Amino acid sequence: MKPGDKAKLTKRSFLLKGVIVLTGAQVEIQEIDGDKVSVLYNDREGYPHTIEDLTLADLAPID
């Protein structure tokens, strides 16, 4: 995976600044720094959120 690729979250659902991020949600990879990954997540209303505390193990390629 590289920046710009789409992926899906395999991490359990969690709360991010009042927004529920569900397992299986589609995200776009913004930056990879070693094992740390920063992604862009769009919520149900279409608002973008940056998630910075993920690892490569929290993501899976989209089929």
Side-chain angles (χ1 to χ4, degrees):
M1 287 189 258
K2 62 185 183 313
D5 286 353
K6 304 271 188 202
K8 67 179 177 181
L9 289 174
T10 57
K11 183 177 180 173
R12 281 184 59 176
S13 299
F14 60 96
L15 192 62
L16 172 73
K17 299 177 186 171
V19 176
I20 297 173
V21 180
L22 299 174
T23 302
Q26 184 172 327
V27 296
E28 181 179 336
I29 298 173
Q30 289 186 317
E31 183 179 351
I32 299 176
D33 183 23
D35 192 38
K36 296 287 185 180
V37 181
S38 175
V39 300
L40 181 65
Y41 167 73
N42 290 314
D43 63 21
R44 289 190 311 174
E45 289 81 27
Y47 294 106
H49 302 276
T50 301
I51 306 172
E52 298 179 344
D53 59 347
L54 297 176
T55 65
L56 289 172
D58 296 328
L59 301 173
I62 294 181
D63 301 330

